[in-house]
Structure formats: structure tokens, C-alpha cells
Amino acid sequence: MGASEIFIKRTTFKGFSNFGSRLAANVCCRVVRPVSGIFYCNLLLFNGFCNRSQSPELPDWVKFPPDGNTCGVDSEDDFVLPKGDGGLKDRFGSWGTVDLGSNAKYEHAGIVDRDVNEISCVLRSRFQSPVAVIRALDACNVDVSEEFVDKILKRFVNDWVPAFGFFKWATLRKGYKSSAESYDTMVDILGKSKQFDIMWVLVEEMVQIAGLISLVTMSKIMRRLAGAGRWMTAIETFHDIEHFGLTKDASAMNILLDTLCKERSVEHARDAFLEMRGQIYPDSSTFNIMIHGWCKARKMDEAHRTMDEMRCYGYKPCVVSYTSLVQAYCMDRDFRKVDAILDEMQNEGCPPNVVTYTIVMHALGKAKETQEALDAFEKMKRSGCIPDTSVYNSLIYILGKADRLKDARDIYEEMLKSGISPNVTTYHTLISVACDHSQEETALELLQKMEENSCKPDLKIYTPLLKMCCKKKRMKVLIYLLSDMFKEDISLDFGTYTLLVIGLSRNGKLEQSCLFFEEMVLKGMLPWRNTYGTLIEELERKKMGKSRERIQQLMLQAESMKQSADHLHALDKLEAN
């Protein structure tokens, strides 16, 4: 009997109800035979997904408006969007009359190719499992390439069922071989969605294909484990790194320590470091990671103690070491200690750099010490540091928060004249400031300017715009933005759904708010209690009894799913012990 057959027999003998928790334990037994596509189908069919309704990427009220135009748009939504030559408005036709129900809406030249749109339309249907996705895609006849797979995975990065079903379908296509990057992306998507059992099976498949697993892969695995609070599992994964064909050296150890520190567990990082330092000699980056971790946890005595230990190992604290201290004191708004650290840096022959000054400027700006922030900028220039994009971004933020909008825009123009290209953060800051001051046209013009400057927007860019639309009840613009996000391969996440549910409910758009709430639950998300409470309160106030009952049922469903996941997690811990 082969390894795969033994694997199936073990799991089915235990019973399907505990299949998910048993899968991780069996993976730890090192199934060394490649898992076939048929086995994947069997695995998924019995992994508890059959009761999971899969949500489309855009809600039905956006995709299929009853009047053929835009559902929920009333007479008060008369905002006229900015004009442009070949820009956003021209690209999507008449604002507010875009037919988001037709397939033609996804076929805009120069944005995405037709095959990607065809597959995306299929993936946005409701699926009970990844196996159902594979079956649905079997009728599609498209050319599968690395670029094609990358675009699809980006679109569904927050929705693991269609992403994984598509990924497995693509790997089964004749003539296509998934790249290491595609595998890494899929591993990250599964880890982000806390589907660790399936993630480990996929990793074992990668082990059998030479050259797929790298430190990038392991960093994604450890990061997602630590992010889910499975710190010990992340550490165990590092200890087992040689099984994956990698070397257990300082670089690998630093990835683990950095992951633990960034995921709120510097204590676990310290314990791991103390255990491993006798086997792996630390480098200067090791100590800088730990210093930053202690500073992030606001345990400054430990940070200073680590700097002393760094010196004992023969490494001199550098600008990175000191800047971590500066950042921590800035977060506490203890600017006297910030000044003391800056003086110490000068005395130690380690002068502050652009990053150090930018952190100080930004902290002063957040503390509404605008003039002091500008003084720090002048001091930076006198020290010989040349302003970069981050410096200009910080200045724009400081001036915008001080309601000096014209000055902020002047800094942006100066930035362009200096030959320094704006980045996503630049536009995010400008758009956020414009939205905060209800400058709707300006905010949307900036979104258009990003496109002209070949700067690809991310989810953070759209967040203030969506929030503004909810506040202003601009349903036409909201629908456009959701559609544009999809075309830019940007997937909604938990925070975005929360923003939409609360924002729409507080502004009277209860039907749409309920639909976004349903989207959250169908994607396996558990809404916060205050999100649920806000929506229920508004539904009761408007006497929408049927909708209130539906939302209550959905919340119970979400809580039940969370309890099941917690139970499986507890079983995993018991088996690990």
C-alpha cells in the first residue's frame, strides 16, 4: 500500500468529523509521496467545507442591480465626478450609469486580459468547496500562464476557497507548471485564512518538487503561524527547516525572530534566541531585530540590555539600533529622551539618517507640534541628509493634519519638480487628507493621477474613499470604487467589510449594509460585536424585522464557525503536546 493510500485510510478511520485536526498530525508524519489531484479532491470533500457558502467578490446588489443600473442610488446622490482625458471617467463611461451586471464591464482595454476576466466571473459564483471550483472551471478553455495565475490569485487573495480551487485546477492543466512564486502565494493565502491543514499538505507537495521551497516560503509559513498565535508551531517549523532542504543558519534564525517580534511575541523570540545561540552564531541583524522587538513592546530596559549584549558579541550598535529606540520614545511622545538618543548617536559617531529624522518629524506632527516637526526637517537638511520620498510623505501628512492643505499640495508639487517619484503612501496621505476635508473631487482626481503616474493603488488607497462614500451616501461612487478595486486585483478584507457595514448602516443604507454583513460571514469572517450591534440597532430603529432576524442568524452562524475552528485549534495543541 502506498503512502497516499495509507494516509487516506488513517484519516478516514478516525472519522470525518475530526478530519481537519487529524490532517496536521498526519502531515507531521512526513507523507513523502506527491499528493495527486484526485487525492486533493477526496481530501477537500471531507474537510468540512460542504456547508460553507462561498461569497462572490462583489455583492449581488453591485453585480446585478434590479433596474439594470445602480441599486440603492437615490436622488440625493447627485455628485458629479471629475472629468478626464482618457482617465477614470472615460474608462468607465457615464458615472452612475455603469452597468455592473454585464460581463462587458470587465473587458476594459489595458487593464486585464479577457481570460482573467472570464475566470474571475466564474470564481465569483457561490461555491461550497474548492472541489466545486475545479469542476466549474473544467468547462473553461483559456491559456494558463504564470502571469495569468498571478493575477487571479491577487484578485482572490482574501478568499481562499476560489483561490485554492483555481490553483489546483491550474496545476492540473496540461502544459502548465506552477512556479515557486505561485506556490508561495497560495501558501500565504491559506495561512492568512488559517487553513493550516491544507497549507501543510501543499507544502509537502512542494517538498517533492525540487527547488520550490525557499526561505521566502518558510517566512510566509512562520509569519502566518505566529499571526494566528501559534508561536510554538512557528518555532518548531524553524527547527524542522532542514527537512525542507534549507540550512539552519543565522539568516533563517533572523527570519523567525523577526516574525515573532512583529507578531507581538518578543518573549518567544527571546526564548528561541537563547535556545539557539549556542548552535547558531548571531550576527548584528539578530540583535537589531531583538532591539526593535523590545522597543515595539515598550520594554525599553530589555532593549538597552540587548544593546549591551550586542557589544559583548563584538558588534557596535548602528543607526538601525538607535533608530529603534528613537521610534519607541516617539511613540510614547517622550521627546526629551528622543533628543537624548539623538545626542548619543552624534557622540558615538553614528549620526541620525533620513529614516531617523523622518520618524521624529512624523511623531511631532502626530503630536500637533507642527513647527517643531518643520524645525526637525530643517535640521535634517543642515546635517547633509537629502530628503527622499518618505520625508516628503511625512511633510504632506504633517501639513494636512494641521489643515494646511495648500502647503501640503505645494510639497507634493515640489516633490515632483525635484524628480522624486510619489509612491502609494504619498497618494494615500493626500487622498486621506482630501477625504477628511470632504474634498471629493480632489480625492478622485488624485486616484486618477496615480494611474497617470503608473502607481498601482492598494487597499489602503481605497479605504478613505469608501469611508467618504458611506458618510456622504455616494452610492454611485461607491459602486464604481468597488468595481475599480476588482479591476486593480484588490480584494476586500475584514477591515474593509467592517467599514462598509458600519458606515452604510449609520447613514441609512441598511439594505446594502446587510448584504456586506452577509458577505463577511459567507467568507468565513466573524464580525466584531460592535459591528453587529450597530447594524442590529439601526434595523430595529427602522423596524426592519425580517432583515434583523437574518442578521441574527448570520451572526450565530459566524460564531458557530469560530467555535469549531477554536475547537480544532485546541485539538491541534493537545496532539502537539
Side-chain angles (χ1 to χ4, degrees), residues 52-94:
R52 182 187 185 279
S53 296
Q54 180 51 39
S55 162
E57 182 63 23
L58 295 176
D60 289 343
W61 66 273
V62 171
K63 295 193 303 171
F64 310 115
D67 60 358
N69 289 314
T70 51
C71 174
V73 178
D74 50 39
S75 58
E76 66 180 297
D77 187 11
D78 57 358
F79 177 59
V80 178
L81 291 111
K83 297 179 180 179
D85 297 326
L88 296 176
K89 181 175 180 180
D90 297 330
R91 205 173 82 205
F92 295 98
S94 177

Side-chain angles (χ1 to χ4, degrees), residues 147-164:
E147 180 184 6
F148 172 78
V149 172
D150 180 62
K151 284 187 175 183
I152 293 293
L153 293 182
K154 281 182 179 178
R155 283 192 173 188
F156 294 90
V157 68
N158 293 311
D159 208 351
W160 76 270
V161 171
F164 187 63

Side-chain angles (χ1 to χ4, degrees), residues 357-404:
Y357 280 115
T358 302
I359 289 171
V360 175
M361 285 169 50
H362 203 74
L364 288 167
K366 291 184 72 173
K368 298 183 179 180
E369 302 286 349
T370 306
Q371 189 53 53
E372 287 77 1
L374 297 176
D375 290 343
F377 174 61
E378 294 299 326
K379 183 178 180 181
M380 181 198 74
K381 289 194 294 185
R382 289 196 301 270
S383 71
C385 292
I386 300 174
D388 60 7
T389 304
S390 296
V391 172
Y392 281 109
N393 289 346
S394 185
L395 284 173
I396 292 169
Y397 170 84
I398 292 165
L399 294 168
K401 287 298 181 182
D403 293 332
R404 293 167 58 173

Side-chain angles (χ1 to χ4, degrees), residues 281-456:
Y281 197 82
D283 57 20
S284 60
S285 294
T286 308
F287 293 102
N288 283 331
I289 289 168
M290 293 303 302
I291 291 167
H292 182 72
W294 290 121
C295 287
K296 186 177 180 180
R298 298 296 189 280
K299 297 188 176 182
M300 302 310 294
D301 289 343
E302 291 288 349
H304 285 285
R305 190 175 297 115
T306 302
M307 286 186 74
D308 292 337
E309 186 178 6
M310 184 179 188
R311 294 184 180 96
C312 292
Y313 270 81
Y315 301 112
K316 184 178 180 181
C318 61
V319 67
V320 175
S321 318
Y322 285 111
T323 299
S324 293
L325 299 177
V326 168
Q327 185 175 29
Y329 289 128
C330 280
M331 293 293 287
D332 293 335
R333 297 189 179 182
D334 190 344
F335 294 111
R336 285 193 298 178
K337 286 188 177 178
V338 169
D339 290 336
I341 294 295
L342 294 176
D343 289 340
E344 182 180 343
M345 292 177 73
Q346 295 287 0
N347 294 335
E348 292 293 326
C350 180
N353 61 11
V354 173
V355 175
T356 315
Y357 280 115
T358 302
I359 289 171
V360 175
M361 285 169 50
H362 203 74
L364 288 167
K366 291 184 72 173
K368 298 183 179 180
E369 302 286 349
T370 306
Q371 189 53 53
E372 287 77 1
L374 297 176
D375 290 343
F377 174 61
E378 294 299 326
K379 183 178 180 181
M380 181 198 74
K381 289 194 294 185
R382 289 196 301 270
S383 71
C385 292
I386 300 174
D388 60 7
T389 304
S390 296
V391 172
Y392 281 109
N393 289 346
S394 185
L395 284 173
I396 292 169
Y397 170 84
I398 292 165
L399 294 168
K401 287 298 181 182
D403 293 332
R404 293 167 58 173
L405 273 63
K406 184 180 182 303
D407 291 337
R409 195 60 185 252
D410 289 344
I411 290 294
Y412 169 69
E413 297 296 337
E414 178 185 325
M415 183 179 183
L416 296 176
K417 291 177 182 177
S418 300
I420 298 176
S421 299
N423 59 15
V424 174
T425 303
T426 313
Y427 287 108
H428 175 255
T429 305
L430 287 166
I431 288 173
S432 296
V433 169
C435 290
D436 288 344
H437 291 82
S438 297
Q439 296 183 352
E440 300 166 77
E441 287 197 32
T442 299
L444 291 163
E445 285 171 352
L446 286 163
L447 183 61
Q448 179 176 328
K449 185 66 69 175
M450 286 191 73
E451 179 182 299
E452 294 172 359
N453 291 337
S454 300
C455 185
K456 185 176 176 62

Side-chain angles (χ1 to χ4, degrees), residues 184 187 203 206 212-222:
D184 286 346
V187 165
V203 170
M206 295 175 70
L212 281 185
I213 291 188
S214 65
L215 276 180
V216 173
T217 314
M218 301 313 298
S219 68
K220 292 181 183 296
I221 294 170
M222 291 187 289

Side-chain angles (χ1 to χ4, degrees), residues 147-213:
E147 180 184 6
F148 172 78
V149 172
D150 180 62
K151 284 187 175 183
I152 293 293
L153 293 182
K154 281 182 179 178
R155 283 192 173 188
F156 294 90
V157 68
N158 293 311
D159 208 351
W160 76 270
V161 171
F164 187 63
F166 163 77
F167 179 82
K168 293 311 302 174
W169 171 82
T171 59
L172 296 173
R173 300 289 286 181
K174 185 177 180 180
Y176 174 72
K177 182 179 179 181
S178 294
S179 66
E181 291 75 16
S182 297
Y183 270 99
D184 286 346
T185 300
M186 195 63 244
V187 165
D188 195 50
I189 291 172
L190 292 170
K192 183 179 182 180
S193 303
K194 297 182 175 60
Q195 300 298 321
F196 295 113
D197 298 335
I198 300 178
M199 181 194 76
W200 281 119
V201 174
L202 188 63
V203 170
E204 285 295 333
E205 180 178 307
M206 295 175 70
V207 171
Q208 307 308 314
I209 305 174
L212 281 185
I213 291 188

